[in-house]
Amino acid sequence: MSIENNYKAICYCLILLCFSSSSFAQRKPIAHFSVPTIRMPADTTIAHLKVFRDQVVDSISEKRPAMDTLFEERTSDGVPIRYYRHIFSNVCHDGECRPLNLTLYWNITGRYLGFLLSPREYLSKNDHEPFLEYEYRRLHHILTDSLSALSSISYTELTNEMSKEMDTDLDGITGATAKAVLPHIVSGAAYTTYQLWHYVYGKTQTEVKNLTIKSLTPSLVIQILKSTDISDQQWALNHIKDNMVWDEELINMVMPYISDGNYNFAEQALNAINAEALSNPSMQRGLLRRFITSNHSIKRLILNKFKEGPSLNPDVVSQLTTHLSTFGASITVEILDLFEEMAVVNDTTTKEVARLLINPNRFVSLGAYRYLSAIPTEDKSIKKQLRQFKRKFSKEIKQIEI
Amino acid sequence: MKRRTALATLGAVSLGVAKSSLLMGGTATTRPLKMKKERVHTDILVVGGGTSGAIAAIQAGRAGKNTILVENGSQLGGTTTTGGVAYPGLFFAWGKQVIGGIGWELVQDTVLLNDDMMPDFATPHGRKHWEHQIRLNPALYSLLAEEKCIQAGVKIRYYESPIEVNYSQNKWTVTTIGKGTHTEITCGQLIDCTGNAFTTSLAGFNVLRETETQPGTLMFTLGGYDVEQLDLGFIQRQYDKAVANGEQVEGEFYSIAALLQNAGDNVQHIAGADSTTSETHTTANINGRASLLRTLRFLRKMPGCRNIKLVSMKTETAVRETYRIDGLYQVSHDDYVKGKSFEDTVSYSYYPIDLHDTEGVIPKQLDEGVVAKIPLRALIPKDSKNLLVAGRCISSDRLANSALRVQASCMGMGQAVGAIAALASDQKRSPIDVPINDIKRLIEQHGGITPL
């Protein structure tokens, strides 16, 4: 980043900070923002005309889906940094409607970023009182929560009708607002909170993600992966494309996700690794290290991933062979399947597997037989053991050879 | 030649011609088929190849035991496959995996082979626990379950059902009848995974049943309409009128709008559905299909639904609740919702209390951090020896059972009983006497997760 860009970024952050604490007068804009992935100033704005089917919101206001504009802000290098949409709507309750006029912002990964109310615009509650500063902060906090219970609460549940079903009492503060809903809304503004949350997590979010995907480059994926926001990281993992160069930096960034801590992260990180990446010995060795320390579920994912590579690295074969009988029957047999599928043939492995022919667990010995029968071997001792095994377990072999 | 003799000769000649020409194609006349009667012996016999039974059999086979799996249908997987409720759950609780092992392996492999993705388990499901259930290709699941059984050396006997169960000299003898087969299977350890405690009942042990059981569901898919173009409120009102007029059956669809929004799926309720016997299962199937046909005809008269189509239908009405065993311990609702720990805990279970009735279903989620546990004693019928049970007929009260009955929990139980039976066989002990640490060790060696 150049000095000039650094300066611009600092100014931009200062403006944001200023906005975050500025709801003291209606003549000033009211803004609350979270940290975006790309902290650079906007250079250009692109308008995308879209049909927004804000299902929940439209069904409340009985509006048909309509054309609206989604704005995309980009850096001077053409990198998308955020999106926004002007919301002009009404919040109606008990036949009374109040206007809703503000701008909602999304990060490039679809994550909610913030909102902006123009000078003289404000949000109001059921009693027409304007929001106070702490209520704007609370609104921002609620909108940041993508997992809010508002996702599964229907519009009618905001009122006392649904409170019976939810087995809750009426709140007594906002009159009709169900008590169970209170923790999820700005007090006195259930409908405003609800509508805005559904705007944020409605169709616009999908549009935002789709637009970013269109301009996604390997360097942008890396930038998103470096985000401190966990949902951004997850988004990046899911969008690592085949055109990525799997250098040490990327391997080192992705590998820590393959652990017991979060199954989905491990699955997504492994999905991101393609066959070409697996031809890199560092990648295979890294996966092996993860295999040794992971739980059963992740171990299986890693073994499956190895099968996608062009061949199995000798170090990996050596390590798996050395520890073959220590993994428990199920994983041992899965390793034997991997060896068979990857056509692993070397004396050490063959001899180690041959030892398993006398394993008391027939599931394991049959797995060893299957592997040894599938590979070419000239070892007379092993051939003899195979013949003996075949005589002893002819019925069992017949069954697994279906 | 007399005419009669001539005709007879002619007949013989023409028959001979016809016969020889037919035989040229390889047809042979065979004697009437006789029932194949045989006696076989195995270490472990699993009755029922459904959600828990297939897993129990694979575990027993992988532990190196001779295992036979008797299944009265034509494929493995039960509710997940034949019943079509192909979204097992819940395997994760509060961000951590609680059910793993062989059931999870099957789910994992089905997902991988179908290029599907797992749900985001790190994201709390809140009230929407179904978001953590895993949508599977049921056909693929059934293929993989069968393959894993075969690779584990399990001998599968499809189309067979037990008719007699006897215990003598520390051995069970289970007589089964199938298509042309009449088999006496002698085993050291018997596992009842029928879901209806059927084998336990045949063995002479008392079983429990509620006066009113949860309804069953025939799984089907509808198509040929655009839900966004429908006036769901109008259709719901019309449906309510049809119920009031007696044209539709009250309680079969607690929300016709939900039926249309989900394109069928798991919305129908068939009261009293019971798969225990051929007779009750026939009734459940006929009622499920009649309900679907009635509803389909109704919907085709609704605006926007003229071209509605039945895209697919499962062959059986899936059943939620029938009989439960009267076990050495009964898991209570209180045990479940408090996540009570037991000295003999063998598996976890995690699901909301989920009792379906004529009013529909409002699941009650567990308190944060709570994960229920399953004690070995709840898997053993009182006064029995060498008999284990897994699946929805676990010894439990009705509310606990409404959560315990789900597929992931049944898979966990299945692996546990497969491991316990294998150890009991090796150690020549009854399951209740197998040391708990041995059980946990074996389950964990096969990827299962056991509570501390």
Side-chain angles (χ1 to χ4, degrees):
Chain A
M1 194 189 284
S2 69
I3 294 171
E4 189 188 351
N5 278 348
N6 265 331
Y7 175 75
K8 282 182 183 174
I10 291 164
C11 290
Y12 176 74
C13 290
L14 284 173
I15 291 166
L16 287 187
L17 277 172
C18 180
F19 279 177
S20 336
S21 57
S22 62
S23 61
F24 47 83
Q26 290 171 21
R27 288 179 178 277
K28 292 193 174 180
I30 300 167
H32 285 263
F33 279 87
S34 303
V35 179
T37 304
I38 312 289
R39 279 178 265 184
M40 287 175 73
D43 182 74
T44 49
T45 302
I46 301 166
H48 302 277
L49 202 56
K50 297 278 177 189
V51 176
F52 287 102
R53 205 183 279 267
D54 292 301
Q55 205 172 9
V56 173
V57 183
D58 287 340
S59 66
I60 296 163
S61 58
E62 296 183 355
K63 272 197 314 188
R64 301 305 296 172
M67 299 294 281
D68 198 1
T69 307
L70 177 64
F71 296 93
E72 177 185 357
E73 289 184 341
R74 292 187 168 197
T75 63
S76 54
D77 297 333
V79 177
I81 50 174
R82 63 177 183 175
Y83 299 83
Y84 63 90
R85 187 179 161 197
H86 300 302
I87 305 294
F88 302 103
S89 187
N90 288 307
V91 178
C92 301
H93 176 47
D94 289 342
E96 214 177 311
C97 293
R98 283 168 292 119
L100 187 63
N101 184 2
L102 82 171
T103 305
L104 288 173
Y105 287 80
W106 289 265
N107 189 41
I108 52 172
T109 53
R111 173 166 60 87
Y112 162 75
L113 267 189
F115 66 82
L116 173 68
L117 282 142
S118 308
R120 294 191 179 78
E121 289 293 344
Y122 63 92
L123 296 176
S124 60
K125 292 173 277 185
N126 293 346
D127 51 10
H128 298 282
E129 278 297 307
F131 270 42
L132 299 171
E133 168 58 22
Y134 79 91
E135 287 165 329
Y136 284 115
R137 276 202 306 274
R138 173 149 173 76
L139 176 68
H140 178 60
H141 178 72
I142 291 167
L143 296 182
T144 304
D145 181 10
S146 63
L147 309 174
S148 166
L150 292 175
S151 67
S152 55
I153 291 172
S154 71
Y155 200 67
T156 52
E157 278 180 288
L158 299 174
T159 67
N160 56 1
E161 283 171 33
M162 193 59 195
S163 63
K164 287 176 204 160
E165 236 176 273
M166 296 173 74
D167 197 23
T168 55
D169 301 318
L170 295 183
D171 55 61
I173 299 168
T174 56
T177 307
K179 193 176 175 182
V181 173
L182 269 180
H184 313 294
I185 51 127
V186 174
S187 186
Y191 295 91
T192 302
T193 317
Y194 185 87
Q195 280 208 30
L196 285 174
W197 192 92
H198 282 277
Y199 268 119
V200 167
Y201 296 99
K203 298 290 178 189
T204 316
Q205 192 184 40
T206 313
E207 289 291 350
V208 162
K209 290 177 187 174
N210 289 340
L211 284 169
T212 302
I213 288 167
K214 281 182 189 167
S215 49
L216 206 55
T217 60
S219 66
L220 183 55
V221 172
I222 299 277
Q223 283 189 72
I224 301 172
L225 204 53
K226 286 177 180 170
S227 166
T228 51
D229 185 279
I230 200 162
S231 68
D232 286 354
Q233 295 168 23
Q234 196 158 19
W235 195 90
L237 279 179
N238 284 328
H239 292 88
I240 290 179
K241 290 181 175 177
D242 284 346
N243 61 357
M244 301 285 291
V245 177
W246 281 91
D247 53 15
E248 292 298 314
E249 186 196 11
L250 185 57
I251 292 174
N252 290 336
M253 283 178 81
V254 168
M255 214 47 83
Y257 293 109
I258 305 168
S259 74
D260 294 358
N262 182 324
Y263 180 85
N264 295 99
F265 265 135
E267 186 192 39
Q268 286 152 4
L270 285 162
N271 282 344
I273 299 167
N274 59 15
E276 199 187 327
L278 283 165
S279 61
N280 183 338
S282 295
M283 173 65 85
Q284 288 209 16
R285 282 194 287 268
L287 285 176
L288 180 72
R289 282 193 292 276
R290 295 281 149 186
F291 174 85
I292 301 289
T293 56
S294 294
N295 65 26
H296 187 86
S297 292
I298 309 291
K299 273 190 169 67
R300 297 194 73 251
L301 288 179
I302 295 172
L303 290 178
N304 271 307
K305 181 50 67 177
F306 277 136
K307 287 181 184 173
E308 293 174 17
S311 63
L312 216 47
N313 182 275
D315 292 348
V316 173
V317 173
S318 168
Q319 285 293 310
L320 290 177
T321 303
T322 307
H323 297 101
L324 196 55
S325 52
T326 64
F327 293 118
S330 291
I331 289 292
T332 299
V333 173
E334 295 221 28
I335 293 171
L336 294 173
D337 286 346
L338 172 69
F339 284 173
E340 185 186 335
E341 194 160 329
M342 304 304 284
V344 171
V345 186
N346 69 60
D347 280 355
T348 315
T349 303
T350 314
K351 281 179 181 154
E352 197 58 43
V353 176
R355 276 190 241 278
L356 296 177
L357 285 172
I358 52 164
N359 191 291
N361 185 338
R362 206 179 45 221
F363 175 59
V364 174
S365 61
L366 278 167
Y369 174 82
R370 213 166 38 226
Y371 163 74
L372 292 168
S373 305
I375 57 149
T377 179
E378 293 306 317
D379 188 311
K380 285 181 184 169
S381 163
I382 291 175
K383 280 184 166 180
K384 188 181 171 190
Q385 285 180 69
L386 281 174
R387 279 197 303 275
Q388 285 171 343
F389 188 88
K390 196 172 180 179
R391 270 200 301 277
K392 193 174 175 187
F393 295 107
S394 59
K395 279 185 188 170
E396 287 81 0
I397 290 168
K398 200 175 166 190
Q399 178 173 342
I400 61 167
E401 283 177 347
I402 287 171
Chain B
M1 192 187 290
K2 287 183 182 175
R3 189 173 174 265
R4 201 171 164 179
T5 316
L7 281 174
T9 311
L10 191 66
V13 169
S14 48
L15 183 66
V17 171
K19 228 177 165 182
S20 63
S21 69
L22 279 171
L23 284 172
M24 279 168 68
T27 306
T29 304
T30 60
R31 292 183 179 281
L33 188 74
K34 282 188 177 174
M35 290 290 275
K36 181 185 174 188
K37 287 193 176 182
E38 65 175 339
R39 285 183 180 155
V40 293
H41 178 78
T42 188
D43 297 327
I44 295 164
L45 169 63
V46 181
V47 183
T51 315
S52 59
I55 309 300
I58 294 168
Q59 171 62 84
R62 286 187 182 179
K65 306 313 293 178
N66 286 315
T67 306
I68 290 177
L69 173 59
V70 166
E71 161 58 37
N72 66 12
S74 58
Q75 64 176 354
L76 302 180
T79 306
T80 315
T81 57
T82 310
V85 188
Y87 29 85
L90 299 169
F91 295 90
F92 284 72
W94 316 111
K96 201 177 158 201
Q97 187 163 15
V98 291
I99 294 173
I102 296 164
W104 176 251
E105 175 188 320
L106 259 167
V107 169
Q108 232 181 4
D109 287 359
T110 309
V111 166
L112 280 171
L113 199 52
N114 213 46
D115 293 328
D116 292 329
M117 284 292 285
M118 293 284 184
D120 183 357
F121 301 115
T123 303
H125 56 66
R127 287 164 62 188
K128 295 196 266 187
H129 60 274
W130 51 88
E131 290 193 346
H132 279 200
Q133 290 175 224
I134 303 153
R135 291 266 166 186
L136 294 179
N137 177 330
L140 209 47
Y141 182 91
S142 128
L143 299 181
L144 289 167
E146 191 172 272
E147 182 186 62
K148 286 179 193 294
C149 275
I150 289 166
Q151 283 176 355
V154 175
K155 293 180 180 69
I156 303 171
R157 299 181 72 98
Y158 285 130
Y159 301 115
E160 288 193 8
S161 187
I163 55 164
E164 201 177 331
V165 180
N166 292 306
Y167 188 71
S168 170
Q169 295 177 326
N170 290 328
K171 297 276 179 203
W172 285 103
T173 301
V174 177
T175 308
T176 66
I177 287 278
K179 291 186 186 183
T181 64
H182 181 284
T183 314
E184 268 186 31
I185 307 170
T186 310
C187 62
Q189 298 294 327
L190 176 60
I191 302 178
D192 180 354
C193 289
T194 57
N196 305 314
F198 184 61
T199 310
T200 306
S201 203
L202 280 181
F205 300 102
N206 288 336
V207 288
L208 309 171
R209 187 183 171 97
E210 299 298 318
T211 315
E212 185 206 337
T213 55
Q214 293 194 70
T217 299
L218 177 65
M219 297 292 285
F220 57 84
T221 317
L222 300 176
Y225 63 97
D226 179 358
V227 71
E228 298 207 0
Q229 301 303 318
L230 298 180
D231 185 344
L232 293 174
F234 175 80
I235 295 173
Q236 185 66 54
R237 286 192 293 278
Q238 293 303 109
Y239 183 78
D240 293 343
K241 270 188 205 168
V243 169
N245 296 339
E247 292 161 21
Q248 294 292 324
V249 176
E250 188 174 6
E252 272 186 0
F253 292 95
Y254 49 90
S255 165
I256 204 78
L259 170 72
L260 289 162
Q261 280 162 341
N262 296 328
D265 215 2
N266 191 357
V267 179
Q268 182 208 51
H269 274 173
I270 300 301
D274 183 344
S275 55
T276 310
T277 68
S278 301
E279 205 171 17
T280 58
H281 208 171
T282 300
T283 305
N285 289 337
I286 289 173
N287 288 347
R289 290 168 197 156
S291 158
L292 168 56
L293 202 50
R294 190 163 49 237
T295 311
L296 189 66
R297 286 178 175 137
F298 165 83
L299 287 172
R300 284 172 68 88
K301 291 177 195 158
M302 293 297 110
C305 296
R306 177 65 195 89
N307 297 318
I308 202 163
K309 296 280 186 298
L310 177 60
V311 177
S312 68
M313 182 191 83
K314 285 291 165 181
T315 50
E316 290 182 2
T317 296
V319 169
R320 287 189 178 81
E321 181 188 1
T322 56
Y323 296 92
R324 304 188 298 276
I325 63 160
D326 188 8
L328 294 175
Y329 184 84
Q330 190 179 75
V331 181
S332 68
H333 173 249
D334 202 48
D335 293 341
Y336 198 92
V337 298
K338 287 181 178 163
K340 183 176 177 180
S341 295
F342 307 93
E343 282 186 0
D344 58 342
T345 299
V346 291
S347 189
Y348 281 115
S349 170
Y350 174 71
Y351 206 74
I353 299 297
D354 189 57
L355 199 67
H356 293 240
D357 59 22
T358 50
E359 301 293 316
V361 55
I362 300 174
K364 174 87 175 69
Q365 302 292 338
L366 298 180
D367 288 343
E368 191 164 345
V370 169
V371 185
K373 288 148 197 116
I374 297 172
L376 167 61
R377 285 164 297 148
L379 306 173
I380 299 177
K382 271 180 191 165
D383 305 320
S384 72
K385 273 191 171 178
N386 302 343
L387 173 60
L388 286 153
V389 173
R392 68 172 180 239
C393 51
I394 176 179
S395 180
S396 51
D397 70 24
R398 194 184 184 208
L399 283 173
N401 193 262
S402 73
L404 283 162
R405 68 183 171 84
V406 299
Q407 293 170 35
S409 302
C410 288
M411 289 172 179
M413 282 185 243
Q415 178 155 7
V417 296
I420 298 160
L423 289 165
S425 175
D426 282 342
Q427 298 175 4
K428 300 195 182 349
R429 288 172 162 155
S430 204
I432 193 67
D433 299 322
V434 176
I436 189 69
N437 288 338
D438 291 358
I439 296 170
K440 289 185 175 184
R441 197 176 307 119
L442 184 57
I443 292 172
E444 283 163 14
Q445 275 173 8
H446 290 269
I449 298 168
T450 56
L452 295 171

